[in-house]
Each structure stands twice: as C-alpha cells, then as structure tokens.
Amino acid sequence: MATIQFQLNGTATVVDTDLDQPLLDVLRGRLGMTSAHFGCGAGECGACHVMVGDRAITSCDMPMWSVADKDVVTVEGLGTAERPHPLQRAFISEQAMQCGYCVSGILISAATLLKRNPFPTETEVRAALDRNLCRCGSHNRMVRAVLRAAAELAAS
C-alpha cells in the first residue's frame, strides 16, 4: 500500500492503494466516480476513458502510480445536471446517446479534443473518437454533437 495524491475533477484527492491497482477500480470502487465503465479491460474500447492532463487515457489499464500529482477528469467533472457541459447538451440535442455504456468515454475523448483544438474539422473529430467503440451505431450523431458543442463554445 502507498499513498497517492492527485487532483480529481479539480479536488485534491488522497488514496491509500496498491500502486499497480488500475485507476478505474479506484475511481469506481473507492471514489464513487461511476461514469467510466469497464469495457474490454485491455485499453482497447475506450469505455473507461478519463482525461489526464490534456490526454484521454484508458483507466482500466492505467496503474495508480502513473496518476500521482496529476489532474484527472471524469465525466462527473465536466458538468452537472444543473449546468451540463456543452458537449453533454449537444449529445442530448443530437440524440447521440443510445445505451449510454460508452458515452462517458466518448465525452472525455471529445472534451480532450476540444481542449487541445477548439475548432476541429469533422475529420479531426472522427479521428479523436476512433479509439472509442460503440455498438449502438450512433457515431455520426456523436460527430455532429461534438461539432455542435465546438460551435457553441466558440460563440461563447
């Protein structure tokens, strides 16, 4: 066991944990951040994406030692029910969520893209979401939602 400190959704967080325990297990099991989901367990599907710094990373295969002293953002940190993030509003407006299992990972990938590139092209959005698998087939709606959110953010 070791003590790991990091910022979680803007809040200083300290956990005693096994250094090799996956970040996803700590987020969901100990910290109550249940937006990121366990998908493949191999970092291939994107259901567990969280933002670390300015990158979307898979938390199912990310050991706790690797997030020490870093900023971690989950969907819970993007917006609230009362004040949703523009991406969350756009996904609702475009009806881009179907079963919802993968959406949190996709929202994190999109938020990471918009953080680095506030004016993405459709091709850049598709490339950013390429690491996220969705079996519901709503990728085109998701791309429209990301472009809609980018336009809203640019106008504000």
Side-chain angles (χ1 to χ4, degrees):
M1 288 291 237
T3 300
I4 301 289
Q5 299 178 13
F6 60 105
Q7 293 285 319
L8 178 59
N9 298 328
T11 301
T13 303
V14 178
V15 292
D16 290 322
T17 184
D18 178 338
L19 292 174
D20 292 326
Q21 185 171 16
L23 173 61
L24 179 65
D25 292 350
V26 173
L27 290 173
R28 290 185 60 86
R30 296 185 54 198
L31 300 175
M33 298 293 134
T34 57
S35 63
H37 288 104
F38 183 86
C40 65
E44 299 292 328
C45 72
C48 65
H49 271 165
V50 298
M51 188 184 310
V52 177
D54 64 349
R55 297 181 50 224
I57 60 105
T58 52
S59 60
C60 70
D61 61 354
M62 182 65 57
M64 283 303 297
W65 62 262
S66 67
V67 297
D69 301 320
K70 295 187 177 170
D71 293 322
V72 176
V73 176
T74 65
V75 166
E76 289 91 342
L78 289 183
T80 65
E82 298 78 26
R83 296 192 65 215
H85 186 279
L87 278 166
Q88 293 165 317
R89 287 194 303 270
F91 269 63
I92 292 168
S93 295
E94 294 291 340
Q95 298 181 3
M97 295 179 275
Q98 298 301 310
C99 80
Y101 198 84
C102 66
V103 171
S104 65
I106 291 169
L107 286 169
I108 290 295
S109 292
T112 303
L113 168 67
L114 296 181
K115 184 176 180 181
R116 290 189 328 260
N117 178 4
F119 306 103
T121 65
E122 181 177 330
T123 300
E124 291 168 328
V125 172
R126 289 185 184 283
L129 301 185
D130 189 53
R131 293 177 39 214
N132 297 89
L133 300 180
C134 172
R135 299 183 192 282
C136 297
S138 57
H139 278 89
N140 288 331
R141 291 177 182 206
M142 292 177 185
V143 170
R144 283 195 307 266
V146 174
L147 292 170
R148 181 183 190 134
E152 180 182 334
L153 286 166
S156 62

